[in-house]
Amino acid sequence: ARRAEEKSRLDELKRGADSCIRLLTEANKAREVYRRASAVAEEKETLYRRADKAFLDNQAGILAEKLEEGAPCPVCGSIHHPQPAHRGLHAPSEAELEILRTAHEGAQDALRQAAGRAAAANAAAQQQAESLNAGLQGQFGRTVEPDKLGELCTWMDGRRQTLERDILTCRMEAARMEQLMAHRAELVKKIPLAEAGIIK
């Protein structure tokens, strides 16, 4: 009974450890998705910021082409224009800038979603690890670090097999004892008959 109880507790802890390993794996994958989304978001932001600056710089060049010496600047009002801006050769159009802005915003949304999934997966893994360690503390008086879960599962599998063998041995011994007790009971019944000389 003690071994069966231990096996039952071990089975429960093993399920908890397996669940913890699965959740930690999912959390690691979610963190990796977040890292990739972060890199993409950073790249899209850089492209958009550069394009936006080029677009704005180009607007100054377009305005500067219309400046006339002695006529007031539509931006600052000066009538002298010593260093007018030049139109950029590779400046994006407004439509191209809008495409880059949309891609940047989409990457930011994907990053926020990936961050949420990573946080949720990490919280679930942390909660399962705490629950598992509470069970291990109660059963064995010790806890385990996440990187040792594989070793713990291997040990628990071996211990479970040992307990199953012990339980089977105990059951076989109990069955043999029952047979012996039944045979003894038959012999006890025959003692008075043998003493009376009725059976030999």
Side-chain angles (χ1 to χ4, degrees):
R2 199 176 75 241
R3 285 184 173 88
E5 219 175 273
E6 183 182 350
K7 181 185 167 297
S8 177
R9 287 192 306 267
L10 201 60
D11 286 344
E12 186 178 331
L13 289 170
K14 176 70 165 63
R15 283 190 298 273
D18 288 341
S19 176
C20 194
I21 289 170
R22 181 182 50 79
L23 290 171
L24 286 168
T25 300
E26 288 173 9
N28 285 337
K29 286 178 184 176
R31 280 192 293 275
E32 183 55 35
V33 168
Y34 171 77
R35 278 192 283 277
R36 286 195 305 266
S38 179
V40 168
E42 189 175 320
E43 177 186 344
K44 298 291 183 190
E45 181 176 15
T46 299
L47 289 172
Y48 171 67
R49 297 286 175 222
R50 284 182 188 159
D52 187 48
K53 183 179 181 324
F55 178 78
L56 293 175
D57 288 350
N58 194 48
Q59 298 310 303
I62 291 171
L63 284 173
E65 287 176 350
K66 296 177 183 174
L67 292 177
E68 296 176 17
E69 193 60 37
C73 171
V75 176
C76 69
S78 174
I79 56 171
H80 299 291
H81 317 293
Q83 292 181 318
H86 299 287
R87 184 187 283 234
L89 296 175
H90 303 292
S93 68
E94 195 169 344
E96 291 169 329
L97 183 62
E98 181 60 24
I99 289 168
L100 291 172
R101 186 188 63 75
T102 301
H104 164 60
E105 289 173 356
Q108 290 297 320
D109 286 343
L111 178 61
R112 280 188 291 278
Q113 290 173 8
R117 284 191 295 270
N122 195 51
Q126 183 67 32
Q127 183 179 15
Q128 181 62 34
E130 287 171 7
S131 175
L132 174 64
N133 274 326
L136 290 170
Q137 184 69 38
Q139 179 69 22
F140 302 110
R142 301 187 80 174
T143 59
V144 68
E145 294 298 318
D147 62 336
K148 300 291 184 185
L149 283 173
E151 293 172 33
L152 174 66
C153 286
T154 300
W155 177 85
M156 284 194 289
D157 285 339
R159 180 67 182 148
R160 186 176 185 275
Q161 289 172 1
T162 300
L163 289 170
E164 285 175 350
R165 278 193 308 272
D166 290 351
I167 291 167
L168 181 60
T169 301
C170 287
R171 285 183 182 150
M172 288 170 48
E173 186 63 25
R176 190 176 77 75
M177 292 302 289
E178 282 181 27
Q179 287 176 344
L180 287 173
M181 293 299 288
H183 183 66
R184 181 185 176 279
E186 283 180 36
L187 290 175
V188 167
K189 285 180 190 176
K190 292 180 182 179
I191 289 174
L193 297 174
E195 287 177 349
I198 299 172
I199 60 168
K200 295 186 179 187

